[in-house]
């Protein structure tokens, strides 16, 4: 199922935490850590280790007020405006954190560290004419409160959320549960002052309209365990049983018995059943509870927990896991499973844990469970049919009643969309072949055989039929919406799709007859100027089939220069009523120029990119510009799929805090996201020809911007983040004729440090030694002669991109006399969050581009036309100098300057998304 692209639309019932995020106070960097915005990059004192601020053109865009997030009530009659903070100060990231079992915990808050938050909540009534009523502020909580986990009650009369303060002592910074009356906006704490949330995993969930089940810090908990001066003993890991355990490069794992005790201390919760009138009672015993999921009829709660023995080689998501059913008042009903430690899941994609997994409630039944069990031992390399079996069973089966086989799958299970006893859609997929299938089943009719509805390549975006739209039931679950047409007995559903075409995405809404396969397009995005998408179904307050003539949907609308606004569209006239009016976030770039361009690689693969040009720029008058190419490679199984167009030329140019588009304000041309497909057709793996295809894609992109006259041939820089940084380093090593310099952020450069697979590579170092070595720019450090800026967070916890990767790569470059610079950002992780760090990253990048791109003097004697020709021929820098010297049109050059993927099945997460 496709995920929403609307970053400021919150799930209808909950507000999730963000790792890093764009939150925080909008306070400026203190004078002790920042310099003046007056920039003189030739002043050597700028190399001193202190935080800097980029030029005002960039700084002002980053400091623009963020847009609120929206959360619609389950009844679709009210909207919350959740008011975000701006970039947080570095001091917030500097708070102590415990790195345990693959997660990072703020011990003072007793939650995951680095949580973003909201500063306020505004409630708007959605009026009958589709417009918004005046804002009603939620009030009553302390000034400066940090708000998280905003959740609607099932009857939409109350909001629940957590609040924490900035206090230095432990208690004031812990999370407390608050309740707000939606009609009045008045908020109040639900518990007494000594009861605090434990939000390391789950936090709280509404059981019914007046009760919540809450994860709390046990009142009996004392001080955290102290690290012993003398260890328990040596740190020993053993494999005397000769088990085959291959894992990727996980970080922040448990290291010893003290870490195990500390993890238990922070992760253990006491479940409390609390009512709105203040009554509360403990439920069950303290344990490491990871999720709480009430049944649709509110009679049962499915409780998941993890327990010892823990592991020092895998994160907590693979620890032993217990799933139990309890009654709504907290009485144990039965155990569903107790899964052992899963250290041995193979690294091949589509490999899974053994035993019951994906245990859920049927959305269309009061209290019926379903789950899937693998038949291949979890190993994707094992050939077996069926590979997965889906089972279903009542919450309390009759004595001797066995689970019922709902469906058998030959690929890997990918989820179910429920409707009723006559209809459900089951998804399966297989990464190796990129095949994805959708089955139609009748859960209540054993005599109706399952049939395939769609069978296609997941890479073929042109054939994507869209996903079924869901409607909310009175029980609060979401099922496939059935639609009726007047005087028509057909059984229709709504398919919401991106509408990928060779001209770009044109989102659509189809009325689809589930029995005949016939479809009618009932809504489509504007094709000429705007990009519109269906965000949610708004006409789902009543039970039964929806009438087409009374359909109501929420859409978004944007253009190249107009930021996203939201609309309500009513049938039958399809009149759109605008409900938001967010100001343009950066009016100084409102008239930027954007074009989706197409060109071809020398092996015939069609490529695309988005070309951005500064406001008012005219290539015929202004001449070529310095250009920044920013990209991220992708793997494909076919050339046709790799050449398909993704995205829309009419989408608004969203500019994030570290976006390459910021340099439009510095009069750069930006080639954003040029497709760099790494293709492995048939039995060939994509990475078998990684360098060759990488260079060919980059050559085609550079040749195109030069041909258009918008990029100066000697002033083209390349950059990327994570796998894009890996790409950048490889291009400077293997295609030095293309770029004048590079910016590589948070990358991995030595693949021998990730020996059990990386990105979408399934083979190990020992199975594909040459591939690992040849793909590693670390092994080609001696070939990098162009200036390269390396930036990395000191606390990077992304698998594979250890901070050590940049440190060792820099030393290798320096050992060969390369012009290079390494910037390590204290307290930052894989993405950068604090205002000080982000501003400094922008300053470093701007300085690098100014010195080694805008002011680039390499090849000054070469004729521009000769350079263009050499680029088109793929001639290297050293070859270019010879050609330029002997071509009769110019003198000899003065010399160079010395210098993570597609996942076809959902990933599980211990933090429940509600």
């Amino acid at each position: 199922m496709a995920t929403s692209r609307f970053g400021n639309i919150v799930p209808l019932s909950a507000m999730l935490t963000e790792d890093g995020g764009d939150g925080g106070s909008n306070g400026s960097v203190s004078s002790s850590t920042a310099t003046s915005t007056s920039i003189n990059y030739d002043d050597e004192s700028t190399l001193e280790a202190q935080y800097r601020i980029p030029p005002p053109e960039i700084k002002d865009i980053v400091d623009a007020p963020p847009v609120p997030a929206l959360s619609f009530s389950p009844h679709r009659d009210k909207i919350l405006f959740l008011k975000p903070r701006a970039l947080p100060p570095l001091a917030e990231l500097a708070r102590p954190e415990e790195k345990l079992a693959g997660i990072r915990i703020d011990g003072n808050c007793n939650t995951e560290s680095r949580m973003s938050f909201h500063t306020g909540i505004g409630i708007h009534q959605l009026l009958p004419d589709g417009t918004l009523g005046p804002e009603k502020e939620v009030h009553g909580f302390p000034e400066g409160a940090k708000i998280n986990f905003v959740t609607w009650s099932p009857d939409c009369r109350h909001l629940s959320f957590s609040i924490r303060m900035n206090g230095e002592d432990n208690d004031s910074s812990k999370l407390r549960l608050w309740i707000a009356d939606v009609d009045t906006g008045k908020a109040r704490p639900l518990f007494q002052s000594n009861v605090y949330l434990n939000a390391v995993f789950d936090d709280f969930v509404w059981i019914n309209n007046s009760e919540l089940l809450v994860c709390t810090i046990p009142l009996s908990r004392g001080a955290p365990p102290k690290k012993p001066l003398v260890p328990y003993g040596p740190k020993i890991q053993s494999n005397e049983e000769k088990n085959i355990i291959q894992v990727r490069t996980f970080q922040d794992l448990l290291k010893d018995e003290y870490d195990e005790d500390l993890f238990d201390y922070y992760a253990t919760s006491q479940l409390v059943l609390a009512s709105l009138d203040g009554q509360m009672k403990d439920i069950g015993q303290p344990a490491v509870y990871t999720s709480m999921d009430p049944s649709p009829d509110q009679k049962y709660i499915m409780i998941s927990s993890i327990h010892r023995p823990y592991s020092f080689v895998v994160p907590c998501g693979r620890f032993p896991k217990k799933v139990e059913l309890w009654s709504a008042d907290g009485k144990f009903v039965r155990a569903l499973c107790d899964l052992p430690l899963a250290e041995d899941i193979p690294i091949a994609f589509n490999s899974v844990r053994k035993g019951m997994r994906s245990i859920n409630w049927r959305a269309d039944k009061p209290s019926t469970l379903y789950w899937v069990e693998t038949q291949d031992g979890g190993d994707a390399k094992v050939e077996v049919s069926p590979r997965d079996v889906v089972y279903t069973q009542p919450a309390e089966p009759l004595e001797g009643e066995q689970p019922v086989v709902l469906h058998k799958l030959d690929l890997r299970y990918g989820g179910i969309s429920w409707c009723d006893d006559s209809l459900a859609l089951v998804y399966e997929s297989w990464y190796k072949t990129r095949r994805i299938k959708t089955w139609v089943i009748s859960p209540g009719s054993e005599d109706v055989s399952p049939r395939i509805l769609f069978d296609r390549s997941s890479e073929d975006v042109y054939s994507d039929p869209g996903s079924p739209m869901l409607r909310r039931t009175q029980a609060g679950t979401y099922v496939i919406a059935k639609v009726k047409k007047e005087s028509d007995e057909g059984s229709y559903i709504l398919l919401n799709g991106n509408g990928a075409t060779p001209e770009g995405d044109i989102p659509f809404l189809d009325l689809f007859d589930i029995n005949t396969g016939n479809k009618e397009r009932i809504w489509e995005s504007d094709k000429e100027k705007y990009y519109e998408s269906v965000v949610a179904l708004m006409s789902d307050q009543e039970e039964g089939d929806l009438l087409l003539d009374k359909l109501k949907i929420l859409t978004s609308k944007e253009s190249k220069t107009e930021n996203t606004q939201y609309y309500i569209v009513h049938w039958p006239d399809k009149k759109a009523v605008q409900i938001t009016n967010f100001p343009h976030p950066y009016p100084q770039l409102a008239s930027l120029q954007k074009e989706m361009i197409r060109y071809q690689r020398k092996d015939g693969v069609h490529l695309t990119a988005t070309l951005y040009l500064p406001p008012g720029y005219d290539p015929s008058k202004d001449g070529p510009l310095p250009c920044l190419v920013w990209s991220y490679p992708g793997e494909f199984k076919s050339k046709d799929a790799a050449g398909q167009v993704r995205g829309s030329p009419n989408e608004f140019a969203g500019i994030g805090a570290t976006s390459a588009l910021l340099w439009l304000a510095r009069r750069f041309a930006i080639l954003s996201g040029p497709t760099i497909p790494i293709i492995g057709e048939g039995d060939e793996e994509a990475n078998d020809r990684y360098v060759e295809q990488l260079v060919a894609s980059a050559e085609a992109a550079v040749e195109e911007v030069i041909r258009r006259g918008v990029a100066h041939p000697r002033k083209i820089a390349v950059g990327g983040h994570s796998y894009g940084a890996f790409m950048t380093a490889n291009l400077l090593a293997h295609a030095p004729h293309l770029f004048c310099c590079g910016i590589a952020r948070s990358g991995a450069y030595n693949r021998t440090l990730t020996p059990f697979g990386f990105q979408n590579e399934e083979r190990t170092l020992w199975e594909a030694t040459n591939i690992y070595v040849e793909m590693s720019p670390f092994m080609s450090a001696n070939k990098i002669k162009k200036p390269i800026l390396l930036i990395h967070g000191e606390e990077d916890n992304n698998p594979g991109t250890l901070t050590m990767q940049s440190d060792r790569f820099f030393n290798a470059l320096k050992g060969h006399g390369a012009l290079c610079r390494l910037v390590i950002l204290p307290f930052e992780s894989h993405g950068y969050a604090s205002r000080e760090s982000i501003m400094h990253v922008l300053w470093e990048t701007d300085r690098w581009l100014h010195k080694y791109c805008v002011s680039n003097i390499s090849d000054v004697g070469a004729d521009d036309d000769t350079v263009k020709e050499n680029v088109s021929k793929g001639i290297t820098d050293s070859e270019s100098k010879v050609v330029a010297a002997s071509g009769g049109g110019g003198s000899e050059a003065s010399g160079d300057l010395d210098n993570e993927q597609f996942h076809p099945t959902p990933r599980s997460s211990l933090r429940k998304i509600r």
Side-chain angles (χ1 to χ4, degrees):
M1 302 289 289
T3 56
S4 173
R5 60 175 294 277
F6 306 101
N8 61 330
I9 291 290
V10 178
L12 292 173
S13 61
M15 182 62 207
L16 304 182
T17 61
E18 301 167 3
D19 182 15
D22 285 336
S25 66
N26 199 19
S28 61
V29 180
S30 67
S31 58
S32 63
T33 59
T35 62
S36 167
T37 57
S38 177
I39 306 294
N40 178 10
Y41 291 133
D42 294 324
D43 182 357
E44 288 304 310
S45 67
T46 61
L47 300 182
E48 296 174 2
Q50 55 182 300
Y51 287 101
R52 309 282 177 169
I53 293 179
E57 307 96 285
I58 291 176
K59 170 187 172 294
D60 292 346
I61 296 174
V62 177
D63 275 340
V67 174
L70 307 183
S71 175
F72 288 79
S73 73
H75 290 169
R76 303 297 200 273
D77 60 341
K78 295 179 179 67
I79 306 175
L80 301 183
F81 278 50
L82 302 170
K83 300 172 184 180
R85 63 177 181 179
L87 297 174
L90 186 63
E92 207 163 290
L93 271 65
R95 291 169 58 101
E97 60 183 1
E98 303 291 345
K99 302 173 182 177
L100 302 167
I103 58 177
R104 294 181 174 181
I105 298 171
D106 184 325
N108 286 337
C109 297
N110 216 103
T111 183
E112 288 191 30
S113 61
R114 306 175 183 229
M115 282 202 312
S116 184
F117 59 86
H118 293 279
T119 60
I121 305 173
I123 305 173
H124 291 265
Q125 185 76 33
L126 190 59
L127 302 177
D129 63 356
T131 61
L132 292 185
E135 182 174 88
K136 182 190 304 172
E137 280 277 356
V138 174
H139 59 279
F141 47 78
E143 186 177 353
K146 300 177 179 180
I147 302 169
N148 289 97
F149 312 123
V150 182
T151 311
W152 292 91
S153 65
D155 61 4
C156 303
R157 295 178 58 190
H158 294 91
L159 299 174
S160 55
F161 50 91
S162 71
I163 278 184
R164 56 193 165 101
M165 302 301 295
N166 266 332
E168 293 299 322
D169 63 285
N170 286 347
D171 287 347
S172 64
S173 61
K174 286 185 170 57
L175 279 69
R176 298 186 64 193
L177 181 57
W178 282 62
I179 300 294
D181 185 287
V182 172
D183 289 335
T184 66
K186 175 65 177 177
R188 60 182 174 85
L190 184 60
F191 295 140
Q192 299 301 316
S193 59
N194 63 336
V195 178
Y196 302 102
L197 291 180
N198 185 342
V200 169
F201 291 114
D202 213 343
D203 39 78
F204 53 85
V205 63
W206 288 91
I207 300 298
N208 50 50
N209 293 331
S210 61
E211 290 183 306
L212 299 98
L213 187 61
V214 187
C215 287
T216 68
I217 299 173
L219 293 175
S220 59
R221 190 179 81 173
K226 292 185 177 180
K227 189 176 183 70
L229 294 176
V230 178
Y232 300 115
K235 298 178 181 179
I236 298 173
Q237 296 187 54
S238 175
N239 191 35
E240 296 182 41
E241 299 84 2
K242 296 184 179 181
N243 294 321
I244 298 176
I245 298 176
Q246 300 179 351
V247 294
R248 294 215 170 191
T249 316
F250 298 120
Q251 299 191 51
D252 299 340
L253 301 177
L254 299 178
K255 300 180 292 296
D256 51 30
E257 288 81 356
Y258 168 71
D259 274 2
E260 291 181 308
D261 293 341
L262 204 59
F263 176 73
D264 275 338
Y265 177 84
Y266 287 115
T268 297
S269 297
Q270 172 64 61
L271 296 185
V272 170
L273 189 62
S275 58
L276 295 181
D277 61 8
Q279 297 184 45
M280 53 183 286
K281 68 173 182 177
D282 291 351
I283 300 296
Q285 298 299 312
V288 183
Y289 297 108
T290 56
S291 69
M292 309 170 292
D293 191 5
S295 62
D297 63 4
Q298 304 174 349
K299 292 182 178 180
Y300 303 94
I301 310 169
M302 183 164 53
I303 303 290
S304 298
S305 61
I306 55 179
H307 60 84
R308 296 191 185 219
Y310 296 150
S311 170
F312 298 157
V313 298
V314 294
C316 56
R318 297 191 183 185
F319 287 0
K321 177 182 179 181
K322 184 184 297 183
V323 184
E324 298 175 335
L325 280 190
W326 297 3
S327 64
D329 58 359
K331 295 186 176 72
F332 175 80
V333 176
R334 68 182 178 112
L336 295 179
C337 65
D338 192 351
L339 305 176
L341 178 66
E343 288 184 334
D344 59 346
I345 299 177
I347 61 173
F349 292 125
N350 288 125
S351 294
V352 295
R353 190 173 193 157
K354 301 172 187 175
M356 296 173 68
R357 70 182 199 278
S358 300
I359 310 172
N360 289 290
W361 297 105
R362 275 186 59 168
D364 62 329
K365 291 290 183 180
S367 53
T368 298
L369 294 161
Y370 71 98
W371 67 91
V372 62
E373 294 185 33
T374 180
Q375 308 299 299
D376 57 14
D379 189 348
K381 292 184 178 180
V382 173
E383 296 295 334
V384 64
S385 178
R387 188 175 292 277
D388 272 341
V389 176
V390 184
Y391 296 92
T392 183
Q393 190 178 48
E396 291 194 74
L398 300 175
E399 185 175 353
E401 184 179 0
Q402 297 300 309
V404 174
V405 174
L406 182 70
H407 194 51
K408 296 180 180 180
L409 301 166
D410 284 337
L411 307 181
R412 189 63 80 205
Y413 169 80
I416 300 179
S417 295
W418 297 95
C419 184
D420 51 33
D421 271 339
S422 67
L423 174 63
L425 300 182
V426 184
Y427 310 96
E428 63 174 336
S429 61
W430 198 245
Y431 176 76
K432 197 77 172 177
T433 59
R434 308 301 200 272
R435 191 178 181 189
I436 185 168
K437 296 164 69 174
T438 303
W439 291 85
V440 178
I441 65 170
S442 297
S445 304
E446 294 184 7
D447 56 337
V448 178
S449 298
R451 59 184 175 87
I452 291 180
L453 185 64
F454 305 119
D455 186 354
R456 47 182 290 271
S457 167
S458 60
E459 291 183 337
D460 182 9
V461 293
Y462 292 170
S463 70
D464 188 351
S467 301
M469 296 211 70
L470 306 180
R471 58 166 300 172
R472 188 177 184 269
T473 68
Q474 291 184 352
T477 61
Y478 289 85
V479 299
I480 297 173
K482 280 188 173 180
V483 179
K484 273 187 177 180
K485 293 174 65 176
E486 288 187 10
S487 306
D488 192 328
E489 297 301 320
S491 182
Y492 296 98
I493 65 173
L494 298 169
L495 293 180
N496 180 17
N498 290 328
T501 74
E503 288 71 44
D505 289 355
I506 306 173
F508 64 83
L509 190 63
D510 279 351
L511 190 66
F512 183 80
D513 191 319
I514 198 70
N515 294 320
T516 66
N518 295 329
K519 57 186 176 182
E520 174 189 352
R521 189 139 299 179
I522 62 173
W523 179 92
E524 188 174 66
S525 172
D526 181 279
K527 301 177 184 179
E528 302 304 322
K529 180 180 179 181
Y530 292 101
Y531 178 83
E532 301 167 287
S533 286
V534 178
V535 180
L537 189 62
M538 302 295 285
S539 56
D540 62 351
Q541 293 88 352
E542 300 177 0
E543 295 293 307
D545 293 354
L546 303 178
L547 296 177
L548 179 60
D549 285 347
K550 294 185 177 181
L551 198 63
K552 184 166 62 174
I553 60 175
L554 174 71
T555 67
S556 71
K557 185 177 182 179
E558 62 196 80
S559 73
K560 298 175 184 178
T561 57
E562 298 171 69
N563 52 307
T564 303
Q565 307 293 351
Y566 295 94
Y567 295 75
I568 302 291
V569 180
H570 299 258
W571 265 253
D573 58 2
K574 302 181 186 179
K575 179 182 178 182
V577 179
Q578 185 172 343
I579 62 171
T580 63
N581 189 24
F582 298 128
H584 197 293
Y586 21 88
Q588 59 271 56
L589 291 180
S591 58
L592 61 80
Q593 303 174 55
K594 175 185 177 182
E595 181 183 359
M596 183 176 285
I597 64 174
R598 304 173 201 175
Y599 48 99
Q600 191 168 313
R601 203 163 74 180
K602 61 185 179 182
D603 60 359
V605 176
H606 294 277
L607 306 176
T608 60
T610 304
L611 177 62
Y612 293 90
L613 298 171
Y617 169 73
D618 184 340
S620 62
K621 296 179 181 178
D622 303 327
L625 298 171
C627 178
L628 175 58
V629 178
W630 198 271
S631 193
Y632 191 98
E635 290 83 1
F636 292 88
K637 286 301 294 180
S638 75
K639 290 182 179 179
D640 289 343
Q644 291 183 348
V645 176
R646 292 162 173 83
S648 167
N650 294 324
E651 288 179 275
F652 180 67
I655 302 179
T658 56
S659 170
L661 300 187
L662 289 165
W663 276 269
L664 289 168
R666 298 284 277 169
R667 304 297 292 177
F668 268 73
I670 309 295
L671 193 66
S672 177
T675 49
I676 305 206
I678 310 299
I679 305 166
E681 293 189 304
D683 294 332
E684 184 182 60
E685 296 293 338
N687 288 334
D688 291 349
R689 295 189 297 115
Y690 172 84
V691 171
E692 173 191 336
Q693 296 189 67
L694 177 72
V695 171
S697 297
E699 284 177 339
V702 168
E703 182 179 355
E704 180 64 15
V705 291
I706 292 175
R707 183 191 68 80
R708 288 171 171 262
V710 298
H712 193 293
R714 296 191 302 274
K715 297 183 179 183
I716 301 177
V718 63
H721 189 96
S722 193
Y723 206 53
F726 176 76
M727 168 206 75
T728 297
N730 264 309
L731 285 173
L732 293 187
H734 302 293
H737 57 293
L738 297 178
F739 304 104
C740 61
C741 65
I743 299 103
R745 301 191 322 218
S746 299
Y749 309 102
N750 184 352
R751 286 305 169 193
T752 69
L753 297 177
T754 55
F756 290 106
F758 59 89
Q759 199 70 5
N760 288 334
E761 178 56 65
E762 296 180 290
R763 295 168 294 185
T764 71
L765 170 63
W766 299 272
E767 293 171 324
T769 304
N770 290 339
I771 301 299
Y772 274 66
V773 171
E774 291 169 4
M775 286 184 67
S776 297
F778 179 86
M779 304 300 179
S780 299
N782 60 317
K783 298 179 181 179
I784 296 180
K785 307 300 181 183
K786 296 296 179 68
I788 182 169
L789 172 64
L790 303 175
I791 302 175
H792 217 121
E794 192 170 28
E795 304 295 331
D796 194 328
N797 66 341
N798 185 57
T801 55
L802 298 81
T803 307
M804 173 181 64
Q805 288 271 8
S806 285
D807 191 35
R808 292 188 175 181
F809 187 41
F810 174 75
N811 287 329
L813 292 166
K814 189 170 62 172
H816 289 91
L819 196 165
C820 53
R821 181 173 170 90
L822 172 62
V823 179
I824 300 296
L825 303 170
F827 305 115
E828 295 290 350
S829 187
H830 191 59
Y832 318 136
S834 75
R835 187 175 188 274
E836 290 94 329
S837 297
I838 285 173
M839 290 298 178
H840 188 78
V841 166
L842 300 177
W843 180 89
E844 291 279 1
T845 305
D846 193 69
R847 173 185 176 271
W848 207 254
L849 292 173
H850 175 81
K851 288 180 70 71
Y852 305 115
C853 183
V854 176
S855 303
N856 179 38
I857 58 172
S858 63
D859 290 334
V860 291
D863 180 81
D864 279 356
D865 291 335
T866 304
V867 174
K868 295 177 185 178
E869 182 181 354
N870 294 339
V871 168
S872 68
K873 293 179 179 179
I875 299 175
T876 64
D877 275 356
S878 58
E879 294 169 330
S880 177
K881 295 169 193 173
V882 174
V883 172
S886 60
S891 60
E892 185 174 356
S894 61
D896 287 333
L897 292 164
D898 284 332
N899 326 41
E900 266 304 34
Q901 25 179 287
F902 168 79
H903 293 276
T905 56
R907 299 190 201 181
S908 63
S909 172
L910 287 176
R911 174 156 312 269
K912 186 177 64 173
I913 298 177
R914 291 176 291 155

